[in-house]
Each structure stands twice: as structure tokens, then as C-alpha cells.
Amino acid sequence: MVTMPDEFHAQVQGSSTAGNGLFATKDIPAGGLIFRKTRPLIGVLDIGHLADTCSNCFVWTQDHSLLEPTDVPKEVKACTGCQVLRYCSKKCQSQSWKRHHKHECSVLTKAPTPHLLPQAVRATMQITRMRESGVMAEDDWEGLVKLDSHYETVESMGGERFETLQTFGMGAWQYSTPTPRSFSILDSQKMFARVLVNALTLVSPSFDPMGICIDPIASVANHSCDPNAVAVMDHPGLSFRALRSIKKGEEVFISYIDSTEWFAMRQKLLKAKYHFTCRCSKCEHGPTLREDQFAIRPKDLSKKWKRFADDHVKESPELGNEEGCYVGPTPDDRRASILLALAWDEIKQAQAYAFTPISLSAKIEKLEMGMRLHYQSKLFAITRQPWPQFRHELMVAKLSTSNMQDAAIAWMQAVKTYFLIDPVLYPQSFHPVRVVHVWTLALLTLYIVSDADSHPAFKGLVESCPSLPHVVYGLLREVAENVGKSHGEGTKFAKVVTDKFEQMKMDTFGGDAMLERVMRDHLKDVWVGFRTVADWMEY
């Protein structure tokens, strides 16, 4: 596929929000392209993806959800020099070598335990070597040094965080052998701080986190918990797309965090990592919006769950006092805070498990325990975090077991997400996360329909919902209609979606437009039956 050229409809200028910002240079419609780069300036995989992902195009060997199997490499081969970075092809290895790797290969070779160097350290080392070797454009360099490091803020706070910044910044300088001529240790520490504050999460087209990236254009965009734009990646392209119409001269905002979190948690995360108190249009309302609403008032908790909360606080007196879990001053508010803190702790523990058979079993048990807490306490609305996180994590974990019964459960959870959760969390039908979820559901439904005769669990689903073959068509059609706005026409993901949809139409209708029109007109009735699947599982 031909790589699409860079395209910009935004520019950097002073912002009343914070320092510099990104501003539209023309009217941009909802779903429109704000800017596109063939790749971010710096991209570094996390430790977990170094062995199974190409360090040049960021194609993940395990990602079969958004790409055809023929487009996913079976393996990535290690660089013969450093044995750290891996590539899916000689072409990718050559591109990486010319761009930056020839200036860092010996560095990674000499660095102690290079596989264990934090990604922010490796990103700082990459910046240092590219600058020292003269392969970084002056505009890119100037853009990087203009990014705020918040170094002085962290220095004034002192403590463990500042010590960490100093240690890792010095480590990046020391490992960047030969000793950098134009970089002092302080310069390296400040650049390390810039990486920490300004890096975006490097993601697959399906929004699986894979590492970090930093770019003088993308990283200058300011934050809002109600963003008008979203960052999308496409092996390895980086683009910003509009979530709603943006006027010429209007500032472009992305969200640095998961903006579906509740108010106190958003404030905590932003303050801890980015050193500011958010006063965006959403946060101006405080804890009064949908994200903070419970399904019942804390005072209406059952006696059983009030005792449950009281018993836990006896064992852990500070439980529920965490900044991100505070609900209110009353005893019942405190109980709600305790249940929220327990749920938050459960999801973080579950996310820490690796995808090994033993860990996967423990992960699923932890997730199911958290789901029961949400459901049985009756405190949480189905769309209130962290319940949606539990559901998504459980679906992914169930699909990873290779057990057909687990796959059936994952499908039912995906249907519940499709009807009851995503339309609330991501109101735009073309929101990239929502589109990816629909695509995953479409492929999973197709898998169930295709293998119904071989697996009893799948056969039972098809018998209970006989319109599933029509559902596959409807879901694929929905993705095909939205992918141009979510990811962009011409992207690899858009091509896969279009090809899959066209192939299905040919297989189903044989090119007969009249038959397809009849199917399309019948979808409303099909969706009535499909909607009932969302209620098959209690939680």
C-alpha cells in the first residue's frame, strides 16, 4: 500500500489554555482530518512488545483483529547488532536503520539489560542520538525543546519523584555513548521530563497500547476532558481526526487520559502526571455529570453492602480516602467511596496480570469478582466507570482462552457493550474506539455463524438468534460507513474493512443490488431481535 503523504490543517500558536496549542487553519467537519504524519518523530515500544512487534511500522504479530492474516507477519526478526529491536521485513529494518537505529544500535548493545530500560529512557536516548548525529531536522528539534518539561515544578516538590527524574535522566545521558557533546546531564534530565509529560500512547489501529511516541506537532495539543479531536494510528501513521466540527482558528483539544472516568479520578490522573488542575468545559461542572452519577443514592445502599463497606474500612482505615475516589462527606458517601476504591483496585490488579494460562485464569476471576461487586451492590450505573473497563477487559480475556464457551460469553458481553454502553461513552457513531468495537463484534459474530455446526456453544447462539447472518452484514455495513471518518479513507484499516464488506456482499448477494436493498430494508426488524441478546446476561 502506498504511504499517504503528510497533510496539515492545523498550526502551532500561543494558547490561552496553556502555553502553545494546536489551531485549525480551516473549517474541519466532524470526522475530518486535522493533520496526518507518515509517522511520529519518536516511537518506542514498551518492553512487552519489543519481542513481537516491528519497531519500524509497529505491526504486532498477534494483531489479527484489524488486519487480514496475510497482512500480519508470523514473526519479527531481531537486529543482528543490538538484538533488542525487531523488524517484520528487511525494508522496515533498512528504513529504521537510516532514520535513527544506526545511531542507537551500539548504544542499546552496550547498555546494561537494554530490554529493561524504561520506554521513556529509550525515547530520550533516541532523541539524544538523533540530535547528536545531525539526522533530526532543526524544526523538529526546536519543536521538542519548546514543549513544557515541568522540570522546575517537580524539582520544587522534591521527594521520590524528582529523584526518579534525575536518576533516569542521568541514565539516558550515560547510556547515550559516546558522551553527548551538545547535551549536559541536566539537558538529558529535562528532555526525559518532556518525554514523560508530552508523550502520547503509541497504539495499534484497534487502540491496543504498545508504547509511547512524541512529536513536536501532535504533542503540543492541549487537553480537554471533552475533546474535539482524537489521535489515531495506522502502522505507523499518526493523525488527528475531528470528533465534531471545528472552525478555522479554533483550538484543537485531545484527551490525555480516558475521559470517560469520573471527575475526581480525571483530576487525580491529570495532576499526578501532567501537573495541572483541569478546568475544561466538562470539569467546570465538577462531579455533577453523567460520569459521576450512581445508579442509586449512596444512602440507599442495602444494609448488607453498608456492612460490607464498613468491614473493609475497619481493616484498611484509609480506604476510600484516596483523592480519586472521594464521593462526599457523609457516612454513606464514604461507603460509596470505599466501594469505588475497591472496584478501582480490582481493575488495576486485573490489568497487571500477564496473558499466560495461569495468569489469565486469575485475571478472569478478578474481573468477574469486580463485575459482581458492581452488579450486586446496585450502586453503579452500567455506563459508570470502572464497570465498562471491567466488561471490556473480561471480553478480551475470555477471547484469549481459546475456549469456545468463553468466546460465546465474550460475544454476549460485546453485544451488551454495543447496545448499552458505547452509545453513551462515545456518542459519535464514528468515534474510532466505537468503530473498532463494532468491527470486533462483526468479526466475532461471523466466526460464530461460520463455526456453528462445529461448536455446541456457537450452535446454541445461532439457534437462539437465527438472524445472526444478517447481523454480520449490518455490523460490517456500519463499520464501512464510519471508517472514513474514524480512521480515514486510504488507511490500512479502511482498506481491510472495505475489502471484507465487499467480499461479504459478493458472497451473499452475488452482486445483485436488489437483493442487497431488500436486506438493508430488513435490518430494522433484524436489530429488534438482535437487541434482546444484550439482556441475556445479567451483568
Side-chain angles (χ1 to χ4, degrees):
M1 181 178 293
V2 178
T3 302
M4 292 184 290
D6 291 355
E7 185 176 343
F8 296 94
H9 304 298
Q11 63 184 12
V12 178
Q13 63 186 64
S15 168
S16 59
T17 302
N20 289 326
L22 198 62
F23 292 79
T25 57
K26 72 171 190 175
D27 290 347
I28 301 172
L33 178 69
I34 298 170
F35 80 83
R36 175 179 60 230
K37 295 192 70 174
T38 55
R39 65 180 307 114
L41 178 63
I42 302 294
V44 175
L45 296 170
D46 60 37
I47 293 172
H49 279 93
L50 281 174
D52 60 14
T53 303
C54 178
S55 285
N56 182 63
C57 68
F58 309 129
V59 168
W60 180 27
T61 57
Q62 305 302 311
D63 187 6
H64 297 279
S65 60
L66 295 187
L67 297 175
E68 292 296 327
T70 54
D71 295 325
V72 179
K74 293 182 179 180
E75 62 177 354
V76 283
K77 295 183 178 180
C79 167
T80 55
C82 65
Q83 296 290 314
V84 176
L85 304 190
R86 292 174 178 264
Y87 301 99
C88 65
S89 65
K90 290 184 178 180
K91 179 180 179 181
C92 271
Q93 184 171 14
S94 176
Q95 289 177 348
S96 176
W97 182 262
K98 292 176 181 177
R99 188 175 60 257
H100 68 82
H101 190 51
K102 66 180 177 181
H103 305 291
E104 68 174 359
C105 185
S106 60
V107 174
L108 293 177
T109 303
K110 297 175 182 178
T113 58
H115 286 84
L116 301 182
L117 288 175
Q119 55 192 11
V121 171
R122 284 182 280 124
T124 305
M125 292 165 58
Q126 192 173 120
I127 292 170
T128 302
R129 295 316 311 161
M130 289 178 69
R131 174 63 176 172
E132 285 287 298
S133 304
V135 297
M136 182 180 292
E138 195 64 29
D139 287 347
D140 286 335
W141 171 250
E142 291 179 0
L144 286 180
V145 296
K146 286 179 181 178
L147 295 174
D148 199 340
S149 68
H150 292 284
Y151 183 88
E152 289 75 16
T153 300
V154 179
E155 183 180 28
S156 66
M157 295 167 58
E160 184 178 345
R161 179 158 189 167
F162 183 58
E163 291 178 4
T164 299
L165 190 154
Q166 287 184 303
T167 301
F168 284 120
M170 179 181 292
W173 185 85
Q174 291 175 329
Y175 296 153
S176 296
T177 53
T179 302
R181 296 185 302 276
S182 58
F183 270 72
S184 67
I185 293 176
L186 180 60
D187 291 331
S188 181
Q189 291 169 336
K190 288 187 174 182
M191 186 57 71
F192 176 75
R194 288 189 185 93
V195 171
L196 289 180
V197 174
N198 296 283
L200 282 70
T201 302
L202 182 70
V203 296
S204 69
S206 55
F207 286 84
D208 296 292
M210 307 178 76
I212 59 173
C213 63
I214 187 167
D215 185 88
I217 299 296
S219 297
V220 82
N222 283 314
H223 163 85
S224 172
C225 295
D226 184 24
N228 57 11
V230 62
V232 181
M233 297 203 70
D234 186 53
H235 296 312
L238 168 66
S239 65
F240 278 15
R241 305 199 68 85
L243 291 175
R244 53 181 178 268
S245 59
I246 300 174
K247 295 292 185 182
K248 179 180 179 180
E250 183 180 348
E251 185 165 4
V252 174
F253 293 99
I254 61 173
S255 182
Y256 295 172
I257 58 171
D258 182 351
S259 60
T260 67
E261 301 281 9
W262 60 97
F263 171 73
M265 184 56 69
R266 298 198 310 270
Q267 291 288 326
K268 174 186 177 180
L269 296 174
L270 290 168
K271 188 70 173 178
K273 184 173 182 179
Y274 301 102
H275 311 290
F276 70 87
T277 298
C278 185
R279 296 184 174 85
C280 69
S281 58
K282 188 172 179 177
C283 287
E284 283 181 350
H285 294 278
T288 64
L289 300 181
R290 189 226 23 109
E291 289 83 357
D292 283 87
Q293 299 306 305
F294 290 109
I296 61 174
R297 296 175 298 180
K299 72 176 186 177
D300 293 331
L301 275 168
S302 69
K303 290 181 181 179
K304 171 187 173 181
W305 283 95
K306 287 183 180 182
R307 286 196 303 270
F308 179 86
D310 292 342
D311 289 343
H312 273 79
V313 82
K314 288 177 184 177
E315 298 176 5
S316 305
E318 294 304 313
L319 187 65
N321 285 333
E322 297 93 333
E323 182 181 354
C325 295
Y326 179 78
V327 173
T330 71
D332 287 324
D333 289 338
R334 177 70 194 285
R335 292 181 176 110
S337 296
I338 291 165
L339 295 180
L340 185 56
L342 287 172
W344 178 255
D345 185 57
E346 293 280 4
I347 190 67
K348 292 307 170 188
Q349 288 185 44
Q351 291 172 339
Y353 284 110
F355 278 85
T356 62
I358 296 178
S359 295
L360 192 56
S361 176
K363 182 186 186 82
I364 290 174
E365 182 178 355
K366 179 72 69 175
L367 291 169
E368 290 176 336
M369 186 184 306
M371 295 275 281
R372 283 193 295 273
L373 183 152
H374 283 82
Y375 177 72
Q376 294 176 359
S377 71
K378 301 186 185 303
L379 179 65
F380 296 87
I382 195 172
T383 56
R384 193 203 195 282
Q385 295 290 11
W387 199 348
Q389 290 184 47
F390 274 98
R391 191 178 310 282
H392 179 72
E393 293 281 345
L394 181 63
M395 184 190 73
V396 173
K398 288 284 189 181
L399 287 175
S400 302
T401 66
S402 300
N403 178 285
M404 298 304 106
Q405 186 63 45
D406 282 342
I409 293 173
W411 177 75
M412 287 184 279
Q413 293 289 8
V415 175
K416 191 178 283 285
T417 296
Y418 173 78
F419 280 107
L420 304 181
I421 298 169
D422 277 359
V424 176
L425 299 189
Y426 311 105
Q428 303 92 347
S429 62
F430 59 85
H431 192 291
V433 173
R434 185 170 170 182
V435 169
V436 166
H437 288 176
V438 179
W439 172 252
T440 303
L441 176 59
L443 295 188
L444 186 51
T445 308
L446 179 60
Y447 176 46
I448 288 170
V449 171
S450 301
D451 282 19
D453 292 335
S454 304
H455 303 293
F458 291 176
K459 186 175 182 180
L461 293 177
V462 174
E463 289 175 347
S464 300
C465 189
S467 61
L468 283 188
H470 299 170
V471 167
V472 176
Y473 167 80
L475 292 172
L476 287 177
R477 183 178 186 84
E478 183 176 339
V479 179
E481 290 175 345
N482 285 296
V483 71
K485 289 184 176 181
S486 68
H487 289 70
E489 302 290 353
T491 59
K492 297 178 180 68
F493 179 35
K495 182 179 184 302
V496 169
V497 168
T498 301
D499 290 349
K500 176 69 78 175
F501 184 51
E502 292 300 322
Q503 183 62 53
M504 184 194 183
K505 288 197 298 183
M506 183 58 64
D507 293 343
T508 306
F509 310 115
D512 190 322
M514 179 65 73
L515 286 178
E516 184 183 1
R517 191 176 301 112
V518 172
M519 168 72 83
R520 194 164 60 245
D521 293 341
H522 185 52
L523 282 179
K524 288 184 179 179
D525 296 331
V526 169
W527 244 241
V528 172
F530 184 37
R531 167 62 181 79
T532 64
V533 177
D535 301 321
W536 285 2
M537 301 190 72
E538 286 187 283
Y539 59 91

